[in-house]
């Protein structure tokens, strides 16, 4: 006879420290978050999230492929300044050990206060932010989709196509860039991965994920630099929208660079500008962050008259 371990069960179902801390901070009139409109109560309950915390706030990371999406909630700005860097380094160690993530990403939507946060994020090892425009097609079911250009086809990709997808990323990023292998959950956690081919050769891919209100979000859309960007993107978007409409999914969301808001292709598919975000990125591995920091340090010796002496 096996005696049930009720103590272990109680520990497993009890709220963790981060959830308790969130519930405490949520009662305050003002808590500082990188995305104020996000449902943090849902985030802290995700079964696969990673977390680090101090007495005054916490940082959580949600693995997504090779990216670790980072969210924070703190009591005051001063506590962010004091603790954010250390908590991120701890998070990086956890991510390296327990996930395939190699890059931390913080999406920052609190534009009225971004001037308070930007120096802290740069000091925590993030690079200068890039501005991202969120575009949305309200209802893909009403779209008149263009036909695919001659010689282009789009099919569903699977794990056998991982090398082709990495090759597209590598060519798009440039020879000097490092493109790691795809994460284990790249295909498993996607709503759909579509691979565009021109005359049988890989030309680009799109990866979609389910979104709220029966929508879909195109998390990645990358075209091989040797291909016509407009034709391949049009084929990928048209196929993704057709699949979404057949599954009774409604809105489709894209995140593009800020200067792409007026792109003719986006207008053709009835994408409208919704909002802007800032995206900060840093390596997950704290050792790599320190190496980059050290590489920027210039050592010099000052020779001259100091306090009246040489």
């Amino acid at each position: 006879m096996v005696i049930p371990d009720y103590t272990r069960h109680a520990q497993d179902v009890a709220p963790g420290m981060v959830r308790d801390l969130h519930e405490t901070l949520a009662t305050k009139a003002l808590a500082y978050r990188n995305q104020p409109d996000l449902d943090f109560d849902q985030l802290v309950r995700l079964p696969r999230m990673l977390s680090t915390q101090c007495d005054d706030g916490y940082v959580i990371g949600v693995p997504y492929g090779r990216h670790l999406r980072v969210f924070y909630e703190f009591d005051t700005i001063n506590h962010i300044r004091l603790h954010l860097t250390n908590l991120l380094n701890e998070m990086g160690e956890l991510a390296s050990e327990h996930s395939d993530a190699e890059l931390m990403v913080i999406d920052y939507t609190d534009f009225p206060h971004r001037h308070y946060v930007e120096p802290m994020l740069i000091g925590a090892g993030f690079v200068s932010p890039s501005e991202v425009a969120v575009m949305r097609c309200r209802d893909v079911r009403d779209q008149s989709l263009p036909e695919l250009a001659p010689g282009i086809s789009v099919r569903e990709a699977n794990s056998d196509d991982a090398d082709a997808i990495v090759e597209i990323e590598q060519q798009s990023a440039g020879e000097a860039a490092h493109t790691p292998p795809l994460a284990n959950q790249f295909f498993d956690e996607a709503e759909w991965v579509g691979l565009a081919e021109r005359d049988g050769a890989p030309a680009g891919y799109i990866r979609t994920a389910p979104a709220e209100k029966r929508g879909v979000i195109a998390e990645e859309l990358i075209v091989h630099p040797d291909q016509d960007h407009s034709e391949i993107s049009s084929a990928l978007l048209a196929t993704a929208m057709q699949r979404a409409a057949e599954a009774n999914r409604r809105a489709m969301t894209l995140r593009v660079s800020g200067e792409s808001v007026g792109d003719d292709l986006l207008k053709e598919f009835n994408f409208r500008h919704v909002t802007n975000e800032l995206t900060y990125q840093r390596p997950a591995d704290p050792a790599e962050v320190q190496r980059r920091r050290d590489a920027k340090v210039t050592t010099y010796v000052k020779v001259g008259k100091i306090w009246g002496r040489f």
Side-chain angles (χ1 to χ4, degrees), residues 141-189:
R141 300 170 301 175
D142 296 336
Q143 297 304 306
S144 177
L145 300 175
E147 295 184 0
L148 275 61
I152 298 177
S153 61
V154 179
R155 62 175 176 84
E156 183 171 3
N158 54 43
S159 56
D160 295 334
D161 301 302
D163 291 340
I165 289 175
V166 171
E167 176 65 17
I168 292 171
E169 290 186 354
Q170 182 67 58
Q171 293 298 323
S172 177
E175 296 182 359
H178 168 64
T179 304
L182 296 181
N184 295 333
Q185 63 267 40
F186 182 86
F187 294 99
D188 296 340
E189 296 186 0

Side-chain angles (χ1 to χ4, degrees), residues 50 90-102 284-286:
L50 306 175
E90 293 176 10
M91 177 66 67
E93 294 174 357
L94 287 174
S96 300
E97 183 177 354
H98 299 290
S99 77
D100 299 310
E102 299 195 8
D285 184 2

Side-chain angles (χ1 to χ4, degrees), residues 30-70:
L30 178 63
Y32 290 88
R33 302 170 173 175
N34 58 308
Q35 297 199 50
D37 298 329
L38 206 62
D39 187 352
F40 271 64
D41 189 60
Q42 181 181 7
L43 277 178
V44 298
R45 297 173 188 272
L46 291 176
R48 60 192 181 92
M49 66 97 172
L50 306 175
S51 65
T52 56
Q53 66 281 327
C54 62
D55 292 339
D56 310 298
Y58 63 88
V59 174
I60 61 176
V62 181
Y64 183 85
R66 287 165 290 172
H67 291 182
L68 186 74
R69 290 177 172 170
V70 178

Side-chain angles (χ1 to χ4, degrees), residues 23 53 74 116 122 138 162 166 222 278 286-287 300:
E23 291 173 354
Q53 66 281 327
F74 281 90
Y116 290 120
I122 301 301
R138 298 293 181 184
V166 171
I222 300 179
L278 292 178
Y300 64 93

